[in-house]
Amino acid sequence: MDDIKKEVSAAVKELLEMHPYKKGSILVIGCSSSEIGGGQIGHNSSEEIGKSVFEAAWKECRAKGIFLACQCCEHLNRALVVEEECAEKYGLEPVSVVPWLKGGGSFASAAYRGFEKPVVVEHIKAHVGIDIGSTLIGMHLKDVAVPVRLSVRNIGNAFVTAAYTRPKLIGGERARYTLD
């Protein structure tokens, strides 16, 4: 579990150093503990792996003042566990559900038990994200997501994909995007 925590910490740190965000921004993480452990997504959930990923990610996010949004599995329609403060700040409507190992997944379950005041929300538009094990976080990112290749390519046996978001470029050929 120590290696998993180190890999998660390294991935979060690297992404937030490459693309720094203001305090209060949101990092969404989707995580398959099954894939990390070498199994098939949705078939070999591990509470221990989910908890390790959550603890490492939350530690890094708190240090940067970033909100962490933890994606549930498809059985909860990829809802997200966030701190109540995040939901209030972004006007996110909480729903009534408690994630557990077989309905929400180990990562979301660990978040629900590890956050100070957890709530579950159905939708979010995060500023930055990490997908561990091909859990499809794109639906939870702002509209223009830009892929990032991190030096951390895997966490355990799971492939890692990351992205940051940027504002839309609008206006066509006459538009300018800086004051210069």
Side-chain angles (χ1 to χ4, degrees):
M1 290 306 122
D2 286 341
D3 287 344
I4 290 169
K5 284 183 176 183
K6 287 176 189 173
E7 291 164 351
V8 171
S9 291
V12 172
K13 279 182 187 177
E14 183 178 355
L15 182 59
L16 294 177
E17 286 171 7
M18 290 171 66
H19 302 282
Y21 283 87
K22 296 177 186 174
K23 287 187 178 193
S25 294
I26 301 170
L27 166 67
V28 63
I29 295 181
C31 168
S32 170
S33 64
S34 300
E35 292 280 331
I36 292 171
Q40 180 182 354
I41 191 168
H43 293 281
N44 306 96
S45 296
S46 164
E47 288 184 70
E48 188 177 15
I49 290 173
K51 185 176 180 185
S52 294
V53 173
F54 168 72
E55 288 174 351
W58 194 37
K59 179 181 178 184
E60 297 304 327
C61 287
R62 282 187 301 179
K64 297 274 189 185
I66 303 279
F67 288 117
L68 176 61
C70 302
Q71 181 179 266
C72 295
C73 76
E74 50 104 7
H75 296 101
L76 293 186
N77 298 329
R78 306 255 182 250
L80 305 118
V81 181
V82 297
E83 285 281 13
E84 182 179 64
E85 180 184 355
C86 177
E88 289 174 356
K89 177 176 179 164
Y90 288 97
L92 307 172
E93 186 175 344
V95 295
S96 295
V97 70
V98 175
W100 67 288
L101 184 65
K102 300 293 184 184
S106 64
F107 176 60
S109 179
Y112 197 87
R113 286 151 184 77
F115 279 144
E116 293 171 21
K117 292 184 179 180
V119 296
V120 177
V121 299
E122 287 187 283
H123 307 285
I124 206 163
K125 288 295 182 183
H127 303 91
V128 64
I130 299 175
D131 188 325
I132 306 167
S134 301
T135 63
L136 305 175
I137 64 165
M139 64 195 282
H140 298 305
L141 292 171
K142 289 179 168 276
D143 285 345
V144 184
V146 181
V148 175
R149 298 289 177 243
L150 300 175
S151 61
V152 178
R153 299 276 185 171
N154 293 76
I155 294 177
N157 292 300
F159 185 70
V160 174
T161 304
Y164 70 95
T165 62
R166 64 160 175 77
K168 294 177 183 181
L169 302 176
I170 63 166
E173 65 184 42
R174 292 186 180 197
R176 290 188 179 179
Y177 303 109
T178 66
L179 291 176
D180 298 330

